[in-house]
Amino acid sequence: SNAEQACEQSVESYNVKKNEYADLDWDNLGFGLTPTDYMYVMKCSNNGTFEQGQLNRYGNIELNPAAGVLNYGQGLYEGTKAYRKKDGNLILFRPDQNAMRMQFGAERMCMPSPSVDQFIDAVKQTVQANKCWVPPPGKGSLYIRPLLIGSGPILGLAPSPEYTFLVYASPVRNYFKEGSAPLNIYVEAEYDRASRGGAGGVKSITNYAPVLKALLRAKNRGFSDVLYLDSVNKKNLEEVSSCNIFIVKGNLISTPAAVGTILPGVTRRSIIEIARDLCYQVEERPIPVDELSEADEVFCTGTAVGVAPVGSITCQGKRMEYKTGAQTVCAQLYSTLVGIQTGHIEDKKGWIFEI
Ligand code: COI
């Protein structure tokens, strides 16, 4: 009968809906690793070109103990996010920027890199294969982690004879345990993040383990993260271990120039552009640590972190506090960025890539 048919139809559409999402507590996502179903793998040997990659089931990978990445840290990583729009479509935010940054970093680390098209295609395939892990609209995003590693064996110090490009993904929401509450940052006096002529300006895996010591110490003291100063004079702001930093004073927004020791963040660049569109004056320049005591607002940017307000910075025992909340420049920039990233604000800049 017609009634039976209608009933069958609704059960069918219910099943489609049900399988649309993986079985996960979508309301309690943090930044922990939730393993998903597939990862993308593409290899490149001596001739320097990456061949056809493929999707494999997500899981452990096999590496020679003499792999360049394990012994000499020859590796880069990237981070980008996919969002689910209200209409169900999946979108990426500026994956071309990550692809280009990987190419730039690969040159610094003496590695071949996938082309921009290969990179974007791999990211799209990874999202498509794991689409049930992209959180519902408003509940977070699928964090995508492309890796480029020296996977071939090498004993003497030299570039690896083989490279692997791998993309995996995990659903995430807030990076910091503070959620969207303001961060409390500690200015690190003992350790440096990056040195002049080093690899601080590229997303080398070697930039991250050395910051753990100061990060854990700060967390033990109740801080969210650590702010580094330049290693030469210990005078100018550099970046936080997991994100870039901005300060606001009146209509002027400033951030350290992304030269050499500062990671050129995709969120950083996007916020600079959005702020200029909103008629703020934006300067990329050396920022003496003394300016922290005069700033109205401070905030951090990063793919994982998003745009995070900073409530306080502690420097040499002195705690400085900043304006936070809905009526801030930070909140205005954040809502514009998130609006574009989630498809709520029309993208007039070519930042959104449909999957
Ligand atoms: C990102 O924001 O994507 C990063 O790579 C930072 C990392 C420490 C999670």
Side-chain angles (χ1 to χ4, degrees):
S1 72
N2 281 350
E4 263 166 6
Q5 258 174 14
C7 180
E8 241 171 56
Q9 252 167 23
S10 70
V11 168
E12 238 166 52
S13 59
Y14 170 75
N15 278 334
V16 170
K17 273 243 160 340
K18 209 174 75 176
N19 297 333
E20 202 177 3
Y21 289 109
D23 184 17
L24 197 66
D25 180 5
W26 296 107
D27 290 313
N28 288 300
L29 279 178
F31 205 82
L33 178 71
T34 302
T36 54
D37 298 327
Y38 293 94
M39 60 189 188
Y40 182 91
V41 183
M42 179 163 65
K43 289 203 186 236
C44 165
S45 50
N46 271 330
N47 68 3
T49 49
F50 281 89
E51 305 298 339
Q52 188 64 36
Q54 63 181 59
L55 287 164
N56 292 347
R57 292 298 292 191
Y58 178 84
N60 293 351
I61 58 169
E62 204 164 83
L63 275 180
N64 190 298
V69 66
L70 294 180
N71 294 263
Y72 299 127
Q74 198 188 19
L76 291 168
Y77 79 90
E78 275 299 330
T80 187
K81 281 174 170 174
Y83 300 84
R84 193 188 295 268
K85 288 202 294 182
K86 277 227 163 68
D87 64 10
N89 288 342
L90 303 177
I91 53 177
L92 291 164
F93 184 72
R94 310 189 78 179
D96 55 325
Q97 299 295 307
N98 298 90
M100 289 188 281
R101 189 169 64 183
M102 179 168 271
Q103 293 195 327
F104 181 70
E107 200 279 325
R108 176 69 180 81
M109 303 294 281
C110 297
M111 300 195 279
S113 56
S115 70
V116 170
D117 286 345
Q118 282 177 318
F119 183 103
I120 295 173
D121 177 60
V123 168
K124 283 186 174 174
Q125 284 196 45
T126 308
V127 175
Q128 194 63 43
N130 294 304
K131 62 175 183 280
C132 64
W133 296 98
V134 184
K139 304 267 184 204
S141 57
L142 187 71
Y143 183 75
I144 301 145
R145 180 52 72 82
L147 295 174
L148 178 63
I149 57 172
S151 47
I154 191 89
L155 191 57
L157 184 55
S160 174
E162 183 211 76
Y163 295 87
T164 300
F165 174 66
L166 191 153
V167 187
Y168 68 93
S170 173
V172 298
R173 195 162 185 185
N174 287 318
Y175 182 76
F176 289 107
K177 71 168 174 29
E178 287 82 352
S180 50
L183 307 178
N184 298 300
I185 303 273
Y186 176 82
V187 178
E188 174 58 37
E190 186 182 356
Y191 297 108
D192 297 321
R193 175 187 171 273
S195 59
R196 196 159 59 184
V202 298
K203 220 155 169 53
S204 168
I205 62 170
T206 56
N207 291 333
Y208 293 86
V211 303
L212 293 175
K213 188 133 182 169
L215 180 62
L216 292 188
R217 182 167 63 183
K219 286 199 186 222
N220 280 335
R221 295 177 184 167
F223 295 99
S224 328
D225 209 326
V226 170
L227 172 60
Y228 286 96
L229 303 179
D230 76 275
S231 65
V232 178
N233 300 313
K234 295 271 187 186
K235 176 172 168 265
N236 296 323
L237 308 188
E238 293 250 304
E239 64 179 86
V240 175
S241 4
S242 57
C243 44
N244 294 115
I245 189 155
F246 286 74
I247 69 170
V248 183
K249 171 92 177 149
N251 191 53
L252 174 64
I253 302 176
S254 307
T255 191
V259 283
T261 51
I262 311 272
L263 201 273
V266 178
T267 312
R268 174 188 175 281
R269 178 114 307 278
S270 307
I271 284 291
I272 290 172
E273 227 178 283
I274 288 170
R276 289 193 173 134
D277 290 349
L278 292 170
C279 294
Y280 290 100
Q281 187 189 341
V282 183
E283 287 181 358
E284 298 177 70
R285 62 179 172 93
I287 305 176
V289 65
D290 300 339
E291 286 194 33
L292 288 177
S293 52
E294 293 148 31
D296 303 327
E297 293 177 36
V298 178
F299 62 87
C300 294
T301 64
T303 297
V305 166
V307 179
V310 174
S312 79
I313 297 185
T314 300
C315 182
Q316 294 181 322
K318 184 176 147 210
R319 184 183 153 103
M320 295 159 284
E321 298 200 339
Y322 305 104
K323 188 176 171 197
T324 58
Q327 303 305 317
T328 55
V329 175
C330 169
Q332 186 189 12
L333 297 174
Y334 174 69
S335 64
T336 309
L337 177 71
V338 171
I340 298 172
Q341 286 174 331
T342 57
H344 288 94
I345 295 177
E346 192 197 344
D347 166 36
K348 294 185 181 144
K349 296 171 178 293
W351 286 356
I352 295 301
F353 286 54
E354 305 264 344
I355 293 178

